[in-house]
Amino acid sequence: MSAEKETKRYYLFDNLKFILMALVVIGHCADANPDVPQLYKSIFVFIYSFHMPLFLFISGLFHKNTKIFQKIITFISLGYLSKLIIYLTKLGLYGNATFSFFSDGALPWYMFVLAMFIGISYLLRNVNKTLVLTVSVLLALIAGYFSQIGDLFYLSRFFVFFPYYLLGQMIPETLIIRLNSSKKIRLLSAVILTVWAIICFTQIDTVYPIRYLLTGRNSFASIETLKVWGFFWRFATYLITTAISFSVICLAPRKKMPFISKFGRSTLQVYFWQTTVLHILRKIGVTQLIEYPEGRILWLLIG
């Protein structure tokens, strides 16, 4: 790869990680109140349709079968440290909290699942990746029918999100750079993203049920409309997520951006601390902005 392309690749993914991390926080802000306004429902579905799958895709893209044990221990340690800080924060702010060693639906799941992805990818390193991807997608489609597969050991998210991590290992970085550099592909990506945004903001009552699939933690049995046809709904969700994710990749800026490129290297810190900050903001009453039309936009800007 030439030095020029290497530089573009470097800034492309830093910029992309910054954008995704900002959307992760905004997505959690949009879901921070039980009485979610229609606007927030639309924002939630739009963001969740690609932000975590794309994050995991990028992680898979840079996966290397080196220092595996060290990486696994690091992410598990970060996961438990995050759980502990969230537990102490809730205990200090609200006077009660629960701590579970092997189950969690909150943010620490990402660190544990990433550790699992690194480990399983190493164990399957010599197996045909197309075969592994096919089997992993089928397992994810079938797993939704078993309510026992949930937050315990983060199994539901392991099954649902592993295909994205694996896909990242399979697609060459050079291909992504070429797609991002193609004017025709960028135009097509803009059209796809615009159409999806219009659907999310005008047909939210129709598409909102897929939010339970986008989080990766819900079984089909827990969603009335998905009990029978969950297999096909999840497959359709995979197609939507893949199309939207690649559209976002192709539209991401590939040149060095002030502030964005620099802080795109430090997204894990933001992910780690965001729950603590949101709990503090909720405690001091900042989330009450959601009760007012103007305040809803301000709350997202705070995010």
Side-chain angles (χ1 to χ4, degrees):
M1 186 183 299
S2 68
E4 182 184 1
K5 283 187 176 180
E6 179 65 25
T7 301
K8 287 184 178 180
R9 182 209 64 79
Y10 182 83
Y11 291 125
L12 168 63
F13 289 102
D14 280 342
N15 297 338
L16 190 56
K17 286 168 61 182
F18 180 94
I19 293 167
L20 291 175
M21 193 66 253
L23 291 176
V24 167
V25 179
I26 292 171
H28 288 137
C29 287
D31 201 40
N33 192 295
D35 301 319
V36 183
Q38 288 291 102
L39 172 66
Y40 282 10
K41 287 183 178 180
S42 298
I43 292 171
F44 183 95
V45 171
F46 180 79
I47 291 175
Y48 270 68
S49 66
F50 67 89
H51 73 333
M52 292 314 296
L54 191 45
F55 245 128
L56 289 165
F57 172 84
I58 294 171
S59 298
L61 192 71
F62 294 105
H63 172 89
K64 290 181 175 59
N65 286 314
T66 57
K67 300 181 180 179
I68 296 298
F69 184 74
Q70 179 181 329
K71 293 173 184 175
I72 291 173
I73 293 300
T74 297
F75 280 112
I76 290 176
S77 300
L78 285 172
Y80 277 117
L81 181 59
S82 177
K83 286 166 73 80
L84 179 61
I85 291 174
I86 292 172
Y87 169 78
L88 293 175
T89 299
K90 293 172 72 174
L91 192 64
L93 293 175
Y94 311 120
N96 63 81
T98 57
F99 187 95
S100 172
F101 277 95
F102 305 114
S103 178
D104 205 318
L107 290 180
W109 72 265
Y110 177 78
M111 268 75 87
F112 291 104
V113 164
L114 198 53
M116 294 163 70
F117 289 169
I118 292 170
I120 198 70
S121 295
Y122 178 77
L123 293 175
L124 299 175
R125 64 191 182 280
N126 295 322
V127 182
N128 181 281
K129 283 187 169 53
T130 302
L131 175 62
V132 177
L133 178 63
T134 302
V135 172
S136 66
V137 170
L138 287 173
L139 286 175
L141 297 176
I142 295 169
Y145 287 107
F146 297 89
S147 57
Q148 299 88 343
I149 300 176
D151 290 332
L152 184 62
F153 298 114
Y154 317 95
L155 284 178
S156 182
R157 278 168 165 147
F158 171 83
F159 284 118
V160 172
F161 290 122
F162 183 60
Y164 300 113
Y165 187 84
L166 186 61
L167 195 60
Q169 298 176 53
M170 297 172 64
I171 295 181
E173 297 170 32
T174 51
L175 174 60
I176 293 176
I177 296 168
R178 288 201 301 270
L179 291 174
N180 181 272
S181 303
S182 169
K183 291 182 179 180
K184 291 182 179 179
I185 296 296
R186 288 171 67 85
L187 177 60
L188 176 62
S189 298
V191 171
I192 292 173
L193 212 56
T194 300
V195 170
W196 179 238
I198 291 172
I199 291 172
C200 288
F201 284 89
T202 63
Q203 305 296 324
I204 187 58
D205 291 334
T206 301
V207 299
Y208 193 67
I210 72 169
R211 68 151 285 165
Y212 302 103
L213 296 177
L214 297 173
T215 60
R217 61 181 298 213
N218 300 103
S219 69
F220 302 150
S222 63
I223 312 160
E224 188 64 35
T225 56
L226 304 180
K227 280 183 178 179
V228 178
W229 302 107
F231 182 101
F232 299 99
W233 274 93
R234 175 155 285 164
F235 185 74
T237 303
Y238 273 143
L239 295 178
I240 292 170
T241 296
T242 302
I244 301 303
S245 295
F246 274 94
S247 297
V248 172
I249 288 176
C250 293
L251 291 173
R254 59 185 178 274
K255 297 181 179 180
K256 185 176 181 179
M257 306 284 290
F259 182 83
I260 291 177
S261 298
K262 176 182 178 181
F263 288 100
R265 307 174 194 175
S266 308
T267 53
L268 188 59
Q269 289 91 321
V270 179
Y271 190 90
F272 187 92
W273 289 108
Q274 63 171 306
T275 298
T276 298
V277 175
L278 285 172
H279 277 303
I280 293 172
L281 293 177
R282 183 182 290 113
K283 181 63 176 180
I284 64 178
V286 179
T287 53
Q288 292 179 3
L289 287 169
I290 297 174
E291 298 175 8
Y292 309 97
E294 300 82 3
R296 292 169 188 168
I297 301 299
L298 178 59
W299 171 238
L300 296 179
L301 291 175
I302 290 173

